[in-house]
Amino acid sequence: MKKELFRILVVDDEPEYCSVLKMIIESKGYCVETRTSGTDALSALEKSNFDLVISDVKMPQMSGHDLLKEIKKREYDVEVIMLTAFGSIEKAVETMKLGAYTYVTKENDPEELLIEIDKVANIRALERENKILKKRKNCEYMIDSRNDKFRQMLSLVERAAQSESNILILGESGTGKEVLASYIHSKSKRSHNNLLEMNCQAISESILESELFGHEKGAFTGAMQRRIGHFEAANGGTLFLDEIGGISVGLQAKMLKAIENKVIYRMGSSTPVNVDFRLITATNRNLQSDMEKELFRSDLFYRISTIVLELPPLRERKEDIPLFIDFYMQKYCREMNKTGIEFAPGVREMLEEYNYPGNIRELKNLIERLLVLSPQDCIKEEYLPSEVINFNKQSSEGIIRTDYTESLREYRQKAEKKYICDLMHKYPDDMNKVSEILSITRRQLLNKMLEYDLK
């Protein structure tokens, strides 16, 4: 684990001591935050992920021992090192019994504390690597992340999975909505039963109702026998409906009744069928906008969105791109029986810099393509698709260089062109977002694109 990714929370009622300790630890490359009370520390742990807490034992209101007890009670995934100005074997034993990693006296050389921090960092790195390897061995997806917002969302997912609440997953195409649904099911009380998945946009409207509700023999032309629908087949397990935003308003009304009452009627039958399923839905559409246009029923939206999870696009969690590259490299090397594959100089950096408008799905397909095209043990730049090469070229050329012979108007135009270009790379499929940030209309944005020859 890189030191800057290892997060430490220092807790001491003396602000000056906190500042000094923060400076010493940060000099070794670690990321440090400070709090001056146990209650503030617990609040910080609730909002953010930390790897290590370094706490003074003697503090007013909430002592270090009480803080340690509360951390263990709440089951935070964090190690604790205790500090005291009154070192003794008895206190050390008591602290260790409460679950502290170790015990350091303030009077000692700070180097002793730094050594213990390094030990914890190495242990956490090994634990994280083992977890990742275990996940990769047992499943086809990778859920680990270095992104703080994504990790906070995963913390919410862990709690939401244990409930029976309906979950709506929002995100661009390719961000891994189906992977998150599978992960939620695996963590739920229904994990021992089936997870049924269906993409509502991949099926024509005329067939979708039958796929959801099932039908009786003779219900319509071609119905030669009874068919069990997804609502019924998911009984006792989880039903994941992807791209739910594309369903017609008429079918939405029938779905609402089924979800509310947990009772369905097969097509061609008046006999009620009781069903028991946990519902997870997903879409890449803006359902709020669809509701305003009366394309999506508001009552159905509120029924399916008890818990809403928003998956960020890959360009907003770029620190995770190396993880996905490694994961899919190992996955496809196993499948293709390849070993010792390496990247030529600069190629991996180009993959890590690319913005992936198709998100994780695009990255996954790109890695597979590179391994297929690489005849030897080296992935060269010539195997990269043109969009990756052009993106990196534009990024390097996008640096504004000062030319002391140009006018102020020319320099402003150059800066404006770069800013618009950067925004278009950041939001490649959302012209409305780009124009909103620029505070201009779509028409004005199109005129700027024509003026600067931006595609």
Side-chain angles (χ1 to χ4, degrees), residues 87-181:
S88 69
I89 295 176
E90 291 78 11
K91 288 185 179 293
V93 171
E94 182 184 353
T95 304
M96 301 294 280
K97 284 182 178 178
L98 289 174
Y101 172 77
T102 192
Y103 181 97
V104 177
T105 56
K106 287 184 174 181
E107 293 89 346
N108 290 356
D109 189 333
E111 190 64 32
E112 180 183 340
L113 176 60
L114 294 174
I115 290 172
E116 296 301 333
I117 292 173
D118 286 341
K119 288 180 183 178
V120 176
N122 290 333
I123 291 172
R124 298 281 287 188
L126 287 172
E127 288 176 349
R128 187 161 296 171
E129 186 177 347
N130 288 337
K131 285 180 181 178
I132 294 172
L133 290 173
K134 187 175 179 181
K135 288 176 185 175
R136 292 176 182 176
K137 183 178 179 181
N138 296 331
C139 68
E140 288 296 305
Y141 58 81
M142 199 272 296
I143 206 75
D144 193 58
S145 175
R146 293 172 177 166
N147 182 273
D148 282 343
K149 288 185 178 180
F150 192 84
R151 289 170 66 180
Q152 288 174 16
M153 187 202 69
L154 285 180
S155 178
L156 173 62
V157 166
E158 297 281 349
R159 298 195 295 273
Q162 294 299 311
S163 72
E164 289 292 300
S165 300
N166 295 332
I167 295 178
L168 172 63
I169 304 173
L170 303 176
E172 295 179 9
S173 179
T175 50
K177 297 186 288 293
E178 62 282 356
V179 167
L180 188 60

Side-chain angles (χ1 to χ4, degrees), residues 25-37:
I25 299 173
E26 283 186 336
S27 69
K28 298 298 182 180
Y30 291 108
C31 176
V32 183
E33 290 188 26
T34 63
R35 297 294 186 274
T36 54
S37 72

